[in-house]
Amino acid sequence: MWGSGAMDTIIGAVADSGAHRLRRMLKCLPSLLSFSRPLCAFLVCTLAPSFWATAAAPPSATLPATVTAALSRAGVPREAFAALVVPADEGSSPRLNWQGDRPMNAASVMKLATTFAALDLLGPAYTWSTPVFAQGPVRDGTLQGNLYLRGSGDPSLVMERLWLLLRRVQAHGIDAIAGDIVVDGTAFAGAARDPAAFDGEPLRAYNAAPDALLVNFKSLVLDLVPDAAAGLARIQVAPPMAGLAVQASVPLAPAGTRCGDWRAQMRLSLADPTRLAFQGQYPAACGERSWALAPPQPELFGPRAVAGMWLALGGRLGGSARLGKVPDGLAPLFVHSSAPLAEAVQNINKFSNNVMAQQVFLTLGLEAGGVGSLDTARAALQTWWARRMGAAAMPVFDNGAGLSRETRISASSLARMLQRAWASPVMPELMASLPIVGVDGTLRRSQSRAVGSAHLKTGSLQDVLAIAGYVHGDDGQRWVLVALVNHDHAAAARPALDALIDWTRLASQR
């Protein structure tokens, strides 16, 4: 009869491989031995080898053939690629480790670090508070002074929530404001930046800068509706903006004009920063379209949006909309609470929202250092990483969104973080925030065959392509997968990442 030491050795080896079915079989061997030694020998010698091959397989030092072929077709050398595939449970050896320790730019995959840290440090139910202050008495429905809003970084103050906030002001008997609407954004220090600094595209919504009072992601949405009979396309803007005029319509292009790059055909003019005007035409073939853009003078977006919504609600404003600071000693009229952090995290990761990620990043600095700045946020993330990730190499976090050329992290560090997240109490919230292959978010159109079987965050810049997250193997094993591409042809390497997802799904069967 086998001794207990031999049994423990076998079970330990199988446990490391993740072959749970064989482990359960081996645990029943003592009772089988007392019944039939030949039967036991048959089970071990006949059924175990297929599982034992998985247990004994060392980490692969070469890339799967399908991945190598896809990289070759994309014109991306293997040296520009890093990948790591390891069981989600800590303590297991990687199934694949290709340049896992090489620091690389991970683009928006860096949002995983920001959102996991926020869930871990603040909790999924954390909310942001926006206190509203009324300076002066209210007489006959008119506030005899200024209305103040002090932001604390709420990433989800979209126009619907701003509408509710201002309706609450009216519920306090205020229909008119004799003074100004003043927005206090001092909770975030030094958050303003040149929107053209990253890629020379200052009007792109993804380049909107964070703000302590961030309204509607600091972006306008222009809805264009063509009217063939009138020969024009009508333009509606949301949210309404005080002090920013938007042209009401644009002429239609000649019949038969193809849609193509319709934004360029409209020829937006920014000669006057207080007016959005168009010098071109809109092709009727485009049908109804929406255009999200970050307008000029982004520092005034919050005051203009608050005042614009106030006027749209029928409120009256005697003064102007401006930036300022809440006077000391003024008690709030009420405090508006945001949606919970878990909801913000889902929007950040599912749809790779850059400005929301930066809001959360700066909030970590605000909570840790008393003010939300890049320096306090980076320090908070570095302290958290050192405490939670042990010896894993420290990333370069930069702005928390991955919209950066300076961000760096290795595949092995990302994998370690995802393993820690898998064992964390906030794993369900983080997992639920990741796009599902072939189902939703940024992976809705993925060509991988692992439809519904992988939750992965994507990232892309002009010369960066990345994915990281979890893949559910066909045998029930959960894998952590990280893949990073840094090369001029990175955008062409998507089939290589799809091939790696498919390989991972079947990895435990090899």
Side-chain angles (χ1 to χ4, degrees):
M1 186 175 293
W2 293 355
S4 60
M7 180 65 67
D8 289 343
T9 299
I10 294 173
I11 294 176
V14 175
D16 285 345
S17 75
H20 305 297
R21 287 174 289 177
L22 179 56
R23 180 170 54 187
R24 290 196 297 269
M25 181 190 77
L26 289 174
K27 283 183 176 180
C28 76
L29 279 176
S31 59
L32 290 173
L33 283 166
S34 64
F35 175 74
S36 170
R37 185 183 299 269
L39 176 59
C40 174
F42 171 81
L43 290 172
V44 173
C45 297
T46 304
L47 300 182
S50 62
F51 293 93
W52 191 264
T54 301
S60 176
T62 59
L63 290 172
T66 53
V67 176
T68 299
L71 288 173
S72 178
R73 289 193 295 271
V76 175
R78 291 181 297 172
E79 293 73 24
F81 185 70
L84 196 142
V85 176
V86 64
D89 296 318
E90 290 191 71
S92 302
S93 298
R95 184 71 179 84
L96 169 67
N97 187 349
W98 177 263
Q99 300 197 114
D101 293 329
R102 179 185 173 189
M104 299 178 73
N105 193 324
S108 285
V109 167
M110 288 302 296
K111 292 180 175 71
L112 287 175
T114 300
T115 52
F116 177 36
L119 289 169
D120 197 39
L121 292 170
L122 305 178
Y126 175 89
T127 56
W128 288 262
S129 297
T130 304
V132 178
F133 304 82
Q135 185 185 43
V138 177
R139 298 195 188 101
D140 298 324
T142 299
L143 172 63
Q144 306 296 315
N146 299 331
L147 184 77
Y148 293 87
L149 284 77
R150 185 166 63 202
S152 67
D154 182 358
S156 56
L157 190 61
V158 293
M159 58 182 294
E160 295 87 354
R161 293 183 180 276
L162 178 61
W163 184 90
L164 290 171
L165 183 154
L166 293 176
R167 284 286 291 168
R168 194 169 171 186
V169 172
Q170 292 180 334
H172 281 77
I174 299 174
D175 298 317
I177 301 168
D180 299 336
I181 290 178
V182 184
V183 167
D184 184 344
T186 55
F188 285 178
R193 59 175 174 77
D194 178 5
F198 178 69
D199 59 3
E201 295 282 356
L203 299 182
R204 295 283 189 175
Y206 63 72
N207 269 327
D211 199 306
L213 193 85
L214 182 80
V215 177
N216 213 57
F217 312 131
K218 228 171 186 176
S219 297
L220 286 178
V221 178
L222 307 181
D223 291 320
L224 294 109
V225 181
D227 183 339
L232 52 80
R234 293 184 174 84
I235 302 173
Q236 290 187 325
V237 61
M241 301 285 284
L244 179 66
V246 180
Q247 186 173 314
S249 64
V250 62
L252 290 180
T257 302
R258 299 179 62 181
C259 186
D261 187 355
W262 55 272
R263 294 179 182 87
Q265 294 183 62
M266 289 180 65
R267 293 166 51 202
L268 173 62
S269 171
L270 300 175
D272 181 355
T274 66
R275 176 177 173 78
L276 295 184
F278 302 92
Q279 298 175 341
Q281 300 170 323
Y282 180 75
C286 293
E288 296 185 15
R289 296 281 180 134
S290 293
W291 184 358
L293 57 87
Q297 299 180 309
E299 70 281 0
L300 297 179
F301 191 99
R304 284 172 168 172
V306 174
M309 184 64 75
W310 175 253
L311 296 173
L313 279 167
R316 299 186 302 280
L317 179 62
S320 62
R322 61 182 175 87
L323 297 170
K325 193 174 187 303
V326 177
D328 294 337
L330 193 62
L333 186 66
F334 63 89
V335 178
H336 173 82
S337 294
S338 73
L341 173 63
E343 185 175 317
V345 166
Q346 188 166 68
N347 286 323
I348 289 169
N349 288 333
K350 286 282 188 186
F351 306 105
S352 210
N353 190 304
N354 289 304
V355 71
M356 289 185 77
Q358 293 176 71
Q359 294 287 114
V360 172
F361 186 66
L362 293 176
T363 297
L364 291 171
L366 176 64
E367 291 288 347
V371 63
S373 70
L374 290 176
D375 287 340
T376 59
R378 289 165 185 161
L381 264 290
Q382 289 164 359
T383 300
W384 169 79
W385 184 276
R387 177 175 57 84
R388 291 288 275 124
M389 305 307 155
M394 179 73 70
V396 177
F397 293 107
D398 198 15
N399 60 24
L403 194 69
S404 164
R405 299 295 178 190
E406 285 71 44
T407 294
R408 292 293 183 275
I409 193 169
S410 68
S412 60
S413 287
L414 264 171
R416 172 63 65 88
M417 186 193 74
L418 288 167
Q419 286 181 317
R420 290 290 164 91
W422 180 253
S424 165
V426 298
M427 180 275 287
E429 285 80 10
L430 185 67
M431 174 76 84
S433 76
L434 302 182
I436 304 173
V437 168
V439 175
D440 65 7
T442 56
L443 283 174
R444 186 165 59 91
R445 294 186 176 88
S446 171
Q447 299 302 304
S448 167
R449 289 172 295 187
V451 175
S453 297
H455 292 70
L456 298 162
K457 179 73 191 76
T458 63
S460 62
L461 294 174
Q462 185 174 356
D463 53 2
V464 179
L465 193 65
I467 54 170
Y470 306 96
V471 178
H472 190 76
D474 281 359
D475 69 340
Q477 171 73 55
R478 184 76 69 174
W479 299 90
V480 165
L481 179 153
V482 179
L484 309 172
V485 183
N486 285 188
H487 191 266
D488 291 344
H489 298 164
R494 292 186 187 278
L497 301 192
D498 290 337
L500 184 59
I501 296 170
D502 296 338
W503 181 89
T504 303
R505 182 173 63 91
L506 303 171
S508 57
Q509 299 181 16
R510 290 179 171 82

